[in-house]
């Protein structure tokens, strides 16, 4: 019987990260004559025309990620569909007055809030543009993988075998696992994953503001139960991401729309968690800073107040953290949530995935131009080293922040209050963040 | 003075007109199944691809005006002499070239054939033949655009015959790429004692220092056989990182790019050479 079709690269998982990986490789000049396959369990996602209402799943896209999407032509489509740039991020504590403001000196865009569906639609278009190189298999779930033996004189196939749910088989020189935090590729490759379920769920919703405003600030307040964030979608609408206990999240979903809106406004405006002691200590620290560094305390802006929530837009999903001990093996590489999963409080999740793509595509492009075997560990290990070095510190820091801000104990509140105020006053630290 | 000394030491003339040394063949036969283990006996040759493939690729790209996206060497016919298990043939094939790989050791060819058979693109682009260079000369006159002889000339019995055959199967203006090892005290200490006996970077007994070729001698042989030497670059292997890099000095490994002159291959005018060399060459001409 004929051997199954052989691809140079198979990407398993057609979410934002998997699709972007396939699109970026498809647009790489050194992959001009290569064969790439993208496997997606779900249907094709594309807008004929964009719906008026906003989707409740949005991502904060960093300028670096925008550059990557630009390189495969997808960013133009995003811009022509819908996105909201923001210039400023204000992050503050519910237990004190401490606040930190992020803003670029040149008043450039810090980032963009984009609906996930918009990104998917843009990527689908760009995959169509390179259909001669990239074959997308929709409604095709991969159910099994067979790994080649590492030994070199044998007569068995040296390629990775992929079996689809409908019985079709593919072979590939390199398998890229972009199949999310419950990655089947990672499990079948027997790569150990360090994971931890947070006792939190995120509640998302599309909100309408009381009055139209410039709305180019991203807001995040750390409550003892978890951070609540308001991400701008337009001058009159914002997206909610509220990380809180599972019980509270269920309550928020169950309550009527008015109570839901009240809870949100109260979360942003109420000072019930303040204690006189912390307020006094914070104020004292702030005056100390303003003596040393007059510009070190920023103007506190007031977040917008919410009037309405889009019906049907409320949803919740559980949160966790995860990190694969290895990102690569012979003929296998993991990217995106398959490799690492973070808490949404830092707005980094999908940006880490796009960063993985930029790095892996760079190494694969060089390998292709050298005529190398694409599945060779030599360049895959370079990708792993670069990305682990970058990702581990960020994931660890996010985890620490999450734990630090989940308490009302005065010593820890004082620590983080002073820490936040100090960080706000110190440009070098802020720039790194 | 030292280099003159080397010129006057005659290379042993082989009466078989063959550049293949049967002792050398036996050494490689024993390791024929080890070619494709990237961490095994041939690890250093695998990582040498990281500099020799870009060297060949970029030199050829700079000499041509067309560029086929994704297949930079498309349309180029390459002869890989002493191809072994196909370690260099495969990357060149992936870059679009039509490669003919020859090697006198049958087990090597068998390994190479089997390895390429799993990739339909490579299987079409690369042809392997168990043969010495002399054996294909008659049927391949002026056939190839490029010859690569990587880590080979230090194993051949008669280097001048080898170079003459290269000239015959190359098209006029065709390129010859050679990588080999210099014959210096340093190459004895590092290339044999350390690399073979101490660190096992190269399988023991692979190389004989007597057969190492100094770049001056190689350049001279090339220039006297219708080639114009375009570049000579030193190479250095770092055993700790397992990687190769370019270096100024050619005292250890080095790479040469030479181009066959446009006219049918003839030796240079005799009056340009010292006395001893004229004697050498008339001796060779007598046995040809």
């Amino acid at each position: 019987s004929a051997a199954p079709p052989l691809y140079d690269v198979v990407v398993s998982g057609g979410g934002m990260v998997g699709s972007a990986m396939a699109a970026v490789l498809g647009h790489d000049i050194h992959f001009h004559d290569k064969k790439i396959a993208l496997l997606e369990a779900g249907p094709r996602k594309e807008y004929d025309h964009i719906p008026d209402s906003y989707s409740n799943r949005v991502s904060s896209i960093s300028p670096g990620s925008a550059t990557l999407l630009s390189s495969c032509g997808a960013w133009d489509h995003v811009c022509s569909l819908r996105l909201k740039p923001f210039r400023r991020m204000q992050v503050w504590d519910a237990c004190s007055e401490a606040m930190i403001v992020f803003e670029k000196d040149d008043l450039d865009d810090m980032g963009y809030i984009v609906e996930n569906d918009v990104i998917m639609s843009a990527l689908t278009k760009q995959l169509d543009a390179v259909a001669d190189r990239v074959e997308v298999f929709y409604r095709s779930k991969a159910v099994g993988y067979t790994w080649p033996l590492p030994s070199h004189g044998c007569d068995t196939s040296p390629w990775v075998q992929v079996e689809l749910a409908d019985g079709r088989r593919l072979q590939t020189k390199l398998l890229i696992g972009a199949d999310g935090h419950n990655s089947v590729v990672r499990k079948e490759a027997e790569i150990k994953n360090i994971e931890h379920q947070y006792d939190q769920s995120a509640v998302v919703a599309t909100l309408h503001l009381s009055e139209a405003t410039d709305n180019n600030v991203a807001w995040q307040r750390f409550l003892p139960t978890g951070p609540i964030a308001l991400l701008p979608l337009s001058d009159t609408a914002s997206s909610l991401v509220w990380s809180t206990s599972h019980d509270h999240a269920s309550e928020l979903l169950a309550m009527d729309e008015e109570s839901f809106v009240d809870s949100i406004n109260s979360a942003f405006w109420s000072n019930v968690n303040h204690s006189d002691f912390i307020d006094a200590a914070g104020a004292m620290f702030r005056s100390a800073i303003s003596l040393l560094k007059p510009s070190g305390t920023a103007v506190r802006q007031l977040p917008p107040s919410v009037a309405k929530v889009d019906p049907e837009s409320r949803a919740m999903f559980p949160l966790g953290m995860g990190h694969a001990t290895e990102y690569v093996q012979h003929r296998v590489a993991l990217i995106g949530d398959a490799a690492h999963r973070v808490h949404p409080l830092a707005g980094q999740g999908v940006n880490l995935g796009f960063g993985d793509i930029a790095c892996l595509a760079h190494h694969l492009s060089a390998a292709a131009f050298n005529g190398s075997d694409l599945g060779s560990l030599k360049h895959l290990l370079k990708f792993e080293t670069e990305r682990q070095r970058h990702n581990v510190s960020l994931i660890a820091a996010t985890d620490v922040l999450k734990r630090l801000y989940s308490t009302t104990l005065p010593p820890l509140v004082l620590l983080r209050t002073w820490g936040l105020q100090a960080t706000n006053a110190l440009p070098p630290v802020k720039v790194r963040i | 003075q030292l280099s003159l000394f080397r010129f006057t030491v005659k290379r042993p003339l082989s009466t078989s007109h063959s550049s293949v040394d049967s002792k050398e063949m036996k050494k490689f036969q024993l390791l024929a199944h080890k070619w494709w283990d990237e961490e095994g006996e041939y690890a250093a040759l695998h990582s040498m691809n990281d500099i020799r493939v870009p060297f060949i690729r970029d030199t050829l790209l700079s000499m041509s005006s067309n560029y086929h996206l994704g297949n930079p060497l498309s349309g180029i016919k390459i002869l890989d002499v002493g191809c072994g298990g196909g370690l260099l043939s495969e990357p060149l094939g992936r870059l679009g070239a039509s490669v003919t790989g020859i090697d006198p050791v049958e087990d090597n060819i068998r390994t190479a054939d089997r390895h390429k058979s799993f990739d339909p693109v490579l299987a079409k682009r690369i042809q392997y033949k168990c043969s010495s260079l002399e054996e294909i000369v008659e049927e391949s006159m002026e056939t190839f655009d490029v010859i690569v002889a990587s880590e080979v000339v230090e194993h051949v019995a008669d280097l001048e015959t080898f170079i003459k055959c290269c000239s015959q199967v190359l098209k006029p203006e065709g390129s010859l790429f050679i990588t080999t090892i210099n014959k210096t005290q340093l190459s004895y200490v590092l290339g044999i004692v350390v690399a073979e006996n101490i660190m096992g970077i190269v399988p023991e007994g692979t190389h004989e220092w007597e057969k190492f070729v100094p770049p001056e001698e190689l350049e001279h042989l090339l220039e006297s056989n219708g080639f114009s030497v375009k570049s000579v670059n030193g190479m250095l292997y770092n055993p700790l990182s397992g990687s190769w890099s370019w270096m100024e000095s050619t005292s250890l490994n080095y790479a040469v790019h030479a181009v066959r002159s446009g006219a049918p291959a003839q030796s240079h005018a005799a009056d340009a050479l010292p006395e001893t060399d004229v004697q050498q060459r008339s001796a060779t001409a007598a046995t040809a």
Side-chain angles (χ1 to χ4, degrees), chain A residues 33 155 173 369-371 378, chain B residues 50 57 71 94 114 119:
Chain A
D33 281 5
D155 287 314
K173 300 174 187 174
F369 193 44
N370 279 353
K378 192 125 49 93
Chain B
D50 292 340
R57 172 198 77 208
N71 278 308
R94 281 195 200 97
R114 184 171 53 218
D119 184 336

Side-chain angles (χ1 to χ4, degrees), chain B residues 21-29 105 154-156 205-208 211:
Chain B
D21 184 324
S22 55
K23 248 180 30 196
E24 300 277 359
M25 275 180 58
K26 282 207 181 63
K27 283 192 287 199
F28 283 103
Q29 204 133 18
V105 178
E154 70 267 23
H155 296 287
V156 305
T206 299
H207 289 128
E208 278 173 48
K211 299 182 77 171

Side-chain angles (χ1 to χ4, degrees), chain A residues 6 8 29-34 150 152-159 171 173 330 366 368-374 376-378 382, chain B residues 33 36-38 46-50 53-54 57-58 61 67 69-72 90-92 94-95 111 114-115 118-121 125:
Chain A
L6 174 65
D8 292 287
I29 54 169
H30 300 308
F31 272 74
H32 196 264
D33 281 5
K34 303 256 184 276
H152 330 277
C154 57
D155 287 314
T156 54
S157 168
W159 315 126
Q171 295 188 93
K173 300 174 187 174
H330 180 55
F369 193 44
N370 279 353
S372 302
D373 178 349
L374 289 176
S376 165
L377 259 183
K378 192 125 49 93
K382 289 188 194 158
Chain B
H33 55 294
W36 287 100
D37 182 355
E38 280 185 34
H46 277 276
S47 66
M48 198 193 278
N49 278 344
D50 292 340
V53 173
R57 172 198 77 208
D58 292 342
L61 281 177
Y67 177 76
L69 277 184
N71 278 308
E90 288 203 5
L92 295 174
R94 281 195 200 97
L95 291 178
T111 302
R114 184 171 53 218
H115 197 265
F118 295 104
D119 184 336
V121 167
R125 286 193 189 147

